[in-house]
Amino acid sequence: MAEPVVTANGAHPGPEGDATRRDFIHIAAGAAAAGAGVMVAWPLINQMNPAADTLALSTIEFDTSKVQEGQQVVITWQGKPVFVRNRTAAEVAKAKADDTASLKEPQTDAERTKPGHEPMLVVIGSCTHLGCIPTFGTGDYGGWFCPCHGSHYDVSGRIRKGPAPANLVVPTYEFTSGSTIKIG
């Protein structure tokens, strides 16, 4: 009977391809290092997610049936004023007639409202010049006027005169049920 062969480090050589104790230790150490790397990286990745207060402000719902014809309501969304205006039939007709006027930023009234809800206009109430809040009904075109620097907007929120470079911004919104809108 032959004596078992023992190597210099005291291990018994096995057949080709068999895992040794040393191989197992290497695999276990590699797995532990990978796990530690994930544990270190997770807080760094997780801190890039939006905060809970930001997520809470990401959308807002508003019942437009509270806004009478010819009336405007200002609501706050993401810290910005949003004008929700229920335009009269005359204002809608004037806005559609102004579609062919000379505009700094050409946009039709239909592009600024939702189909089937043309009287309801939703725009962010910040002047596109320096972010002032324009007032309604005091401009040259029957819409908004920014008293700070003299920008005039029409009843569709399109810039007509003054230093503002763009129309009042229409936020992403949709009618969810009947007269309820969801902004954001």
Side-chain angles (χ1 to χ4, degrees):
M1 181 155 163
E3 291 287 323
V5 178
V6 178
T7 60
N9 64 2
H12 297 279
E16 285 281 327
D18 281 352
T20 63
R21 184 177 291 177
R22 184 176 305 267
D23 293 335
F24 174 76
I25 291 173
H26 285 289
I27 291 170
V38 168
M39 288 174 49
V40 167
W42 179 252
L44 299 173
I45 294 168
N46 192 38
Q47 62 92 21
M48 290 187 250
N49 287 329
D53 60 338
T54 304
L55 288 175
L57 293 174
S58 63
T59 61
I60 186 172
E61 289 192 1
F62 179 73
D63 184 9
T64 60
S65 66
K66 299 175 183 177
V67 185
Q68 301 298 317
E69 185 177 348
Q71 184 183 32
Q72 172 179 298
V73 174
V74 181
I75 58 176
T76 303
W77 172 63
Q78 294 185 343
K80 296 177 268 193
V82 175
F83 298 154
V84 179
R85 178 155 184 82
N86 189 351
R87 303 179 297 174
T88 63
E91 289 174 335
V92 173
K94 182 169 175 30
K96 288 182 180 186
D98 286 345
D99 283 349
T100 59
S102 175
L103 302 170
K104 283 186 180 181
E105 184 182 6
Q107 251 184 343
T108 64
D109 186 62
E111 292 175 286
R112 301 183 59 76
T113 59
K114 298 295 181 189
H117 301 278
E118 286 81 9
M120 199 59 62
L121 179 69
V122 179
V123 293
I124 295 177
S126 294
C127 179
T128 56
H129 179 232
L130 291 175
C132 307
I133 298 175
T135 58
F136 185 79
T138 55
D140 290 350
Y141 299 93
W144 290 269
F145 172 69
C146 182
C148 300
H149 301 100
S151 294
H152 296 259
Y153 299 91
D154 65 11
V155 293
S156 191
R158 298 174 291 202
I159 184 64
R160 299 294 295 275
K161 183 169 105 177
N167 300 333
L168 292 178
V169 177
V170 176
T172 302
Y173 75 97
E174 64 183 343
F175 281 86
T176 56
S177 62
S179 62
T180 303
I181 59 171
K182 179 180 179 184
I183 301 172

